[in-house]
Amino acid sequence: MNDDRAWVHTAIDALAREAARSADTHLLKINLPGFAGIDFYFKDEASHPTGSLKHRLARSLYLYALCNGRLRKGQPTVDASSGSTAIAEAWFARLLGLRFTAVMPAATAPAKIRAVEALGGACDLVEDPSQVHARAAWHAANGACHLDQFGLAERATDWRGNNNIAESILGQLEHEPHAQPAWIVCGAGTGGTSATIGRYLRYKCHPTNLCVADVEHSAFFEGFQKRDPGCCCDRPSLIEGIGRPRVEPSFMPGVVDMMVRVPDAASLAAMSVLSRLLGRRVGGSTGTNFFALCWLADRMRQAGQQGSLVTLICDSGERYVGTYYNAQWLRSKGIDTAPFEHRIEQFLSGEDFACDLAVAE
Ligand SMILES: *Cc1c(COP(=O)(O)O)cnc(C)c1O
């Protein structure tokens, strides 16, 4: 066995030991008085060591690169990332003793940039967000291993099990009144989470539907509606982690039952309301998820249906104190969350949800 192969074994072993030291994330249940027979669950992906659902993805991407013979001893690694993935990938690079460069849009929250650098990663900031893929490819052409979250997320994750997020959620629901949820809601950044959940639901023959909540400035919704992977959006998403200028290759429309498009002000209003309910701050994409969850709960309640609804807490709001939680920043973006906050609060206290969403099925 050559040196390189021995190093690969050491690296895979290091990843296995990290997984063994890590606990699974909580599935939080919230009881809302106006919803008899409808149960709300939140998979707390903010509680990973690197603070987001990208911890699972980064572990899988390194493992996938190693097992495919694409990552050798001493080789630098690179990926395009809006932040959360970069933090997780930098963390795993440090664990494996590798260099890592994150190619990020220049507008990424400064706290995320600092977090990558604090983990020993480098940040290559690109003015035009649509150029991050090309820039990452340039690094790869110069010898780096491209971890390629947008291209490989859907296949790097072991969708049949191995403690993927879907297996974990369904396992944690096992003894609940409605063990098979009516809906699972998630956003799409790479599309990897929705691909993993959608595939697992089919594989295990669950009747559960999957709803992907998209944002205002993103290509996914239209791409899904028209079944056209070529759809584009030229304005960047305001909600970090989700919404992309193109339909990313890891997005698998065939396993998605419904998509909704949530206005940015609604996402950030829902983020604030959920933060008050939980007593801790959640991130913007969690707000998008929660808004779509409320919309589905309203449909169920109006139809007299009972059941459980599940969504994800994708990351913590502490990363966004200077942006989503900053009144001045919101004003500078022309966003007023107050009307949506009011409607969500009214809804949670028993009224109908007076919000219409764009829907594609
Ligand atoms: C990546 C990300 C998502 C979306 O998950 P994907 O599996 O990439 O589609 C949602 N929220 C946050 C904060 C993220 O970083």
Side-chain angles (χ1 to χ4, degrees):
M1 196 171 69
N2 64 22
D3 253 18
D4 212 48
R5 190 69 179 272
W7 177 80
V8 169
H9 289 182
T10 311
I12 289 172
D13 190 45
L15 292 177
R17 283 186 284 128
E18 186 275 337
R21 289 192 302 271
S22 299
D24 198 359
T25 59
H26 302 296
L27 187 66
L28 306 174
K29 182 170 189 231
I30 291 193
N31 294 317
L32 295 170
F35 295 85
I38 302 179
D39 298 327
F40 294 81
Y41 298 90
F42 296 83
K43 180 68 169 161
D44 185 6
E45 295 292 290
S47 62
H48 286 292
T50 58
S52 83
L53 77 177
K54 292 305 190 315
H55 197 78
R56 294 178 194 270
L57 176 62
R59 187 194 285 138
S60 299
L61 288 170
Y62 277 102
L63 198 56
Y64 195 70
L66 287 163
C67 293
N68 280 282
R70 291 199 302 119
L71 178 52
R72 295 180 318 275
K73 185 177 181 177
Q75 190 179 8
T77 57
V78 68
D79 210 349
S81 168
S82 62
S84 296
T85 306
I87 292 170
E89 286 173 338
W91 191 89
F92 278 100
R94 193 181 62 175
L95 183 87
L96 298 174
L98 297 169
R99 277 189 291 147
F100 170 72
T101 300
V103 181
M104 299 174 155
T108 302
K112 283 189 177 175
I113 295 170
R114 282 197 301 274
V116 171
E117 290 172 347
L119 290 163
C123 295
D124 184 3
L125 301 178
V126 183
E127 280 310 319
D128 178 355
S130 70
Q131 290 309 303
V132 293
H133 301 290
R135 185 71 186 162
W138 177 86
H139 283 278
N142 285 284
C145 170
H146 186 192
L147 296 166
D148 195 9
Q149 60 160 334
F150 294 107
L152 300 177
E154 56 90 7
R155 73 191 72 166
T157 303
D158 186 351
W159 54 270
R160 280 170 293 197
N162 191 18
N163 190 36
N164 75 40
I165 190 167
E167 182 183 46
S168 167
I169 290 170
L170 273 306
Q172 287 173 318
L173 283 171
E174 203 178 344
H175 303 292
E176 296 300 302
H178 305 283
Q180 294 184 315
W183 288 91
I184 297 180
V185 177
C186 68
T190 64
T193 303
S194 56
T196 302
I197 293 172
R199 286 167 172 164
Y200 189 83
L201 291 174
R202 278 163 184 73
Y203 179 55
K204 292 288 180 179
C205 303
H206 288 288
T208 305
N209 288 305
L210 173 62
C211 173
V212 170
D214 203 19
V215 290
E216 263 175 63
H217 305 292
S218 173
F220 288 124
F221 184 85
E222 210 189 327
F224 178 75
Q225 194 171 39
K226 299 183 174 157
R227 295 297 190 274
D228 177 4
C231 284
C232 291
C233 176
D234 52 15
R235 257 183 78 178
S237 166
L238 201 68
I239 309 299
E240 279 187 39
I242 57 172
R244 299 290 308 161
R246 63 173 199 183
V247 181
E248 299 296 347
S250 280
F251 178 70
M252 300 284 123
V255 301
V256 176
D257 297 292
M258 180 197 277
M259 282 195 75
V260 294
R261 176 141 62 190
V262 178
D264 292 344
S267 291
L268 298 180
M271 173 196 82
S272 292
V273 174
L274 182 60
S275 296
R276 288 197 287 274
L277 280 175
L278 293 171
R280 58 182 253 228
R281 283 175 170 155
V282 298
S285 68
T286 305
T288 310
N289 288 345
F290 182 52
F291 195 84
L293 200 76
C294 289
W295 183 82
L296 285 166
D298 182 50
R299 286 201 343 167
M300 284 176 67
R301 191 168 60 180
Q302 290 200 24
Q305 290 167 355
Q306 302 206 331
S308 55
L309 293 167
V310 181
T311 195
L312 320 179
I313 297 170
C314 301
D315 66 357
S316 158
E318 299 308 324
R319 285 180 176 171
Y320 309 99
V321 283
T323 54
Y324 306 149
Y325 287 94
N326 180 314
Q328 204 182 336
W329 184 89
L330 289 173
R331 266 197 305 280
S332 78
K333 299 288 173 189
I335 289 187
D336 179 9
T337 57
F340 279 114
E341 280 191 50
H342 181 70
R343 278 189 256 173
I344 300 166
E345 299 280 11
Q346 296 285 97
F347 167 66
L348 295 179
S349 65
E351 292 183 20
D352 286 346
F353 197 47
C355 300
D356 275 330
L357 287 182
V359 181
E361 283 173 285

